[in-house]
Amino acid sequence: MSWSADKTEVKSWNEWDTLRHVIVGRADDCHIPPEEPALDAKVPEDSDMRGQWGRRPQETIDRANELLDNFAGMLEKRGLRVDRPTSIDHSVPATTPDFHTESQFGCMPPRDVLLTVGHEMLEATMSYRCRWFEYLNYRPLMQQYFNEDPKFRHESAPKPRLTDADYHPDYLSEKIGDAKRLEWAEQKFFVTTEEEPLFDAADVLRFGKDLVVQHGFTTNLKGIEWLRRHFPDHRVHTVNFPGDPYPIHIDATFTPLRPGLILNNPQRRLPEDQRKMFEGNDWEIVDSAQPAHNTPPPLCYSSTWLSMNVLVLDPKTVCVEKSEVYQAEQMDKLGMEVVEVELRDAYAFGGGLHCCTADVYRDGECEDYFP
Ligand code: NVA
């Protein structure tokens, strides 16, 4: 049955089939949260964000919202249905019996929290204390989909306790240095321990029957095992990108564009033994183009590699951030039609075009690309 804008249906099996219905985040009330173990390990040592916390400046929130609204409007003009989250009050401290944090994070980016696999949307455990309640921003939409789509499966992974036992104290030092971080990444020694299952949804890429999951700061091996048991009809693969000193979220590292083609960050190459599944099935893994910028924008957690954090609209069409001219040029050479989207001033809110969205519906069914 083909998609109809009048009827709600949740279904998405991969990152590239024609996108019909999507959630776009909001910058409303986003905060820079106070220090906490998992977050500190991720903030680059030379970042302007070290030691700062509080509500983000209103003018930056307004500007990010303007860009996100424009992006949503452009998608709607192309015929997509776009939903938006309802921001909770992120200034409220988050307290559980196990931890306390003075503020929360925001309702950006949805891709970190929501994992759509087929007819299911799964709320990730998350691994930062300040993001423990983030799913609440999306609950009005989840309730709506539940009411309107009889096949929709709304799932939530077990909430983690996030005590100090979840974090390796070695990562809490102010200065570790990239050389040590790279050595640890090579050894698969990350800030999160194996105390309990932890994963962020943005560590998962969907290739039909196969789910590819990055083991790093935000997703541990128990989180991957939890996903394996939760999706028994899928094959779940663990991947690592040893060239990344801050390995969180796979979508500025490994970007599938269409069946048979993946962009890989040239500084974070997939190791040889992990390439076999792709290359053995005639998938090409090509180095992505260089970012157009030498530094991220102010107060931004992410790297300049948000250049490759693109949103595929269908196997021939891709949204690329407007200033990322080298990435756009490469897409053109790879035979993709490029839709330019201005988003750089919203990067600080948690990421690029893939991050700031979550799939609700894509055409296509669950295929086996790696038989
Ligand atoms: N690890 C990533 C996160 C991007 C979504 C980075 O390069 O900053």
Side-chain angles (χ1 to χ4, degrees):
M1 262 230 328
S2 57
W3 183 74
S4 150
D6 306 327
K7 190 171 152 273
T8 300
E9 188 178 345
V10 175
K11 177 177 73 85
S12 177
W13 293 105
N14 59 47
E15 308 289 334
W16 55 78
D17 272 337
T18 302
L19 184 64
R20 306 283 186 183
H21 184 180
V22 69
I23 297 171
V24 172
R26 283 190 198 280
D28 302 12
D29 198 43
C30 281
H31 277 62
I32 299 174
E35 292 182 355
E36 62 163 290
L39 189 68
D40 289 1
K42 156 65 190 156
V43 180
E45 291 176 20
D46 55 357
S47 168
D48 58 351
M49 307 192 68
R50 289 245 159 196
Q52 301 216 39
W53 67 277
R55 194 172 193 274
R56 285 183 179 268
Q58 189 59 44
E59 64 277 12
T60 66
I61 292 179
D62 293 343
R63 172 67 178 150
N65 267 337
E66 182 190 342
L67 295 177
L68 290 162
D69 290 351
N70 289 347
F71 180 35
M74 180 281 287
L75 294 171
E76 280 172 341
K77 274 203 200 90
R78 295 182 71 96
L80 279 81
R81 177 170 155 193
V82 180
D83 289 335
R84 312 296 300 277
T86 307
S87 181
I88 58 168
D89 181 353
H90 298 108
S91 70
V92 176
T95 304
T96 74
D98 294 307
F99 68 79
H100 172 83
T101 173
E102 279 301 318
S103 92
Q104 302 177 56
F105 191 91
C107 54
M108 265 287 280
R111 190 74 65 177
D112 292 4
V113 187
L114 299 173
L115 176 64
T116 311
V117 176
H119 300 282
E120 168 171 336
M121 289 179 96
L122 170 65
E123 295 162 358
T125 66
M126 309 308 283
S127 54
Y128 298 172
R129 293 169 178 166
C130 60
R131 306 192 76 178
W132 206 87
F133 285 111
E134 203 163 309
Y135 66 96
L136 293 174
N137 295 288
Y138 305 98
R139 278 290 168 93
L141 289 174
M142 296 303 111
Q143 283 172 326
Q144 185 191 342
Y145 302 158
F146 190 81
N147 292 339
E148 295 175 4
D149 174 5
K151 284 202 270 181
F152 173 49
R153 289 168 54 90
H154 178 198
E155 295 274 359
S156 185
K159 293 307 285 173
R161 298 192 67 166
L162 301 186
T163 65
D164 287 349
D166 274 306
Y167 310 107
H168 286 297
D170 313 59
Y171 268 98
L172 305 184
S173 132
E174 275 285 303
K175 283 272 168 223
I176 298 169
D178 271 7
K180 178 53 93 186
R181 284 172 179 274
L182 288 168
E183 192 186 309
W184 284 348
E186 183 77 41
Q187 294 162 359
K188 300 178 193 169
F189 173 69
F190 303 117
V191 62
T192 38
T193 64
E194 293 295 336
E195 174 74 8
E196 58 181 340
L198 297 177
F199 68 95
D200 280 12
D203 280 315
V204 184
L205 290 173
R206 300 150 312 136
F207 293 75
K209 203 173 164 49
D210 294 84
L211 300 174
V212 171
V213 190
Q214 170 172 239
H215 173 211
F217 282 7
T218 37
T219 294
N220 63 10
L221 291 174
K222 277 206 179 129
I224 299 175
E225 178 57 23
W226 188 90
L227 286 163
R228 191 170 282 125
R229 294 185 200 182
H230 183 71
F231 292 114
D233 297 332
H234 279 74
R235 292 178 295 238
V236 176
H237 309 268
T238 305
V239 288
N240 301 95
F241 299 95
D244 187 357
Y246 300 92
I248 81 157
H249 303 167
I250 195 168
D251 49 354
T253 298
F254 207 58
T255 303
L257 295 179
R258 59 183 183 234
L261 183 60
I262 305 171
L263 292 185
N264 189 188
N265 184 317
Q267 287 180 359
R268 308 172 186 171
R269 286 211 177 88
L270 186 67
E272 276 313 311
D273 57 321
Q274 297 180 17
R275 302 172 91 89
K276 285 189 190 127
M277 151 182 156
F278 301 100
E279 292 173 348
N281 285 281
D282 295 327
W283 281 60
E284 206 187 342
I285 302 177
V286 298
D287 281 357
S288 70
Q290 288 295 311
H293 304 272
N294 293 325
T295 51
L299 299 180
C300 181
Y301 291 105
S302 308
S303 71
T304 54
W305 292 100
L306 288 181
S307 52
M308 55 183 294
N309 188 264
V310 298
L311 181 69
V312 176
L313 296 184
D314 65 56
K316 290 191 170 132
T317 316
V318 62
C319 295
V320 179
E321 207 287 324
K322 195 173 173 194
S323 65
E324 295 297 347
V325 287
Y326 306 122
Q327 192 52 79
E329 187 181 72
Q330 180 184 35
M331 293 295 185
D332 186 54
K333 287 196 183 121
L334 291 168
M336 305 288 289
E337 187 202 322
V338 172
V339 179
E340 286 181 355
V341 181
E342 194 177 359
L343 200 78
R344 187 167 157 86
D345 292 343
Y347 277 6
F349 290 77
L353 293 158
H354 190 256
C355 297
C356 79
T357 56
D359 288 16
V360 182
Y361 188 99
R362 286 185 190 262
D363 288 350
E365 295 308 323
C366 183
E367 306 222 4
D368 186 350
Y369 299 95
F370 309 104

